[in-house]
Amino acid sequence: MKCSLRVCFLSTAFLLIFVMSVLFTYSHHSIAYLDPGGLGGIHRVKLVPGYAGVRRLSHGVPYPRGCACRRCPEDAAAAAAAWFDSRYDGGVSPVWTKENMELPPDVQRWWMMLQPQFKSHNTQEVLSKLFQIVPGENPYRWRDPRHCRRCAVVGNSGNLRGSGYGHEIDGHDFIMRMNQAPTVGFEGDVGSRTTHHFMYPESAKNLPANVSFVLVPFKTLDLLWIASALSTGQIRFTYAPVKPFLRVDKEKVQIYNPAFFKYIHDRWTEHHGRYPSTGMLVLFFALHVCDEVNVFGFGADSRGNWHHYWENNRYAGEFRKTGVHDADFEAHIIDMLAKTSRIEVYRGN
């Protein structure tokens, strides 16, 4: 009897060892592939790229990043990459479209409190009418993985004065600017090309026909304004005077998604300040639609002054003191993104 128990025990032990070895082998094949190019016929094992090497656009479509770029995110240290991956969500569309018109309730509430209005409007009805005037499509859904889409995010800092970055900026596929951002007279430092201009109603200006106007809406009235500015011109005031008519290409108008706005506030700026600055909104827009992102004109100049490159502002630093944005925390985010190789920052003067 003792003998038979010992035999049963040994048989069971050998069976467990065999099953564990099979499972171990299967699990390794599920996370790796073999490279037959090793010396002497020895196979090298390569791990399948993780999330840092995969791009997810709306509808969860995977897209490999960095393959055709001169700078790849996979070069970042593991700890820094983990910081990025824990915050990044490629499933949130930067653009408000016909497909994602209905906002989640928490987003709707948060967005409507940014600039409360005296009169309530049905946002979906307003959007439906607006999308009869502008496309309401996501133009960034599909990209050629063989091509590296290089994007320049050009801020308005005075550190661009005398930088000589104009030629470098103009060499990008997408060149994103914000608010006033003049180029005439500053071409040597800021470039002459623009593909995307991000503005809210109170900062809006006319644009050339080949430039995409990306509206950053803070309230439903902003959506009514853009529809009016492209048609009847009835709305002349939001919380400040606005252009009643706007000369832009209707086919290139895009609407910034409030859900993406809140995603940046929650995941990236972590509720520092009331809401992220326009610079942050444009930077993360670029990080979700581009393969390589280079940043110009952010932060103070070499003397610590915070002013626009086209003006001399004697109230330097007021941006940091308003309480609306947290410039120090946003500067920290930019530094971390640079450490993870997601962006390269051109510091200027």
Side-chain angles (χ1 to χ4, degrees), residues 4 59 100 102 137 152 204 213 237 242 254-255 260 301 321 326 339 342:
S4 62
H59 305 296
N100 60 12
E102 186 174 357
E137 306 291 342
F213 172 35
F237 192 91
V242 292
Q254 299 168 31
I255 312 298
F260 194 78
D301 64 15
K321 302 172 186 176
D326 189 328
K339 286 178 181 177
R342 263 65 190 186

Side-chain angles (χ1 to χ4, degrees), residues 117-121 220:
Q117 303 166 96
F118 293 109
K119 183 179 179 181
S120 62
H121 304 279
T220 309

Side-chain angles (χ1 to χ4, degrees), residues 263-281:
Y263 152 70
I264 298 170
H265 183 61
D266 291 344
R267 293 278 192 95
W268 296 98
T269 58
E270 299 176 9
H271 301 174
H272 286 77
R274 279 194 58 221
Y275 50 82
S277 68
T278 307
M280 283 287 104
L281 298 182

Side-chain angles (χ1 to χ4, degrees), residues 251-264:
E251 294 303 312
K252 286 185 170 290
V253 171
Q254 299 168 31
I255 312 298
Y256 204 101
N257 186 2
F260 194 78
F261 199 152
K262 189 175 187 297
Y263 152 70
I264 298 170

Side-chain angles (χ1 to χ4, degrees), residues 76-112:
W83 172 87
F84 181 88
D85 292 345
S86 66
R87 288 161 174 79
Y88 183 88
D89 184 355
V92 186
S93 171
V95 202
W96 212 357
T97 69
K98 296 172 184 176
E99 293 182 354
N100 60 12
M101 281 198 303
E102 186 174 357
L103 296 176
D106 62 321
V107 174
Q108 181 79 24
R109 286 191 298 270
W110 178 83
W111 180 64
M112 292 186 72

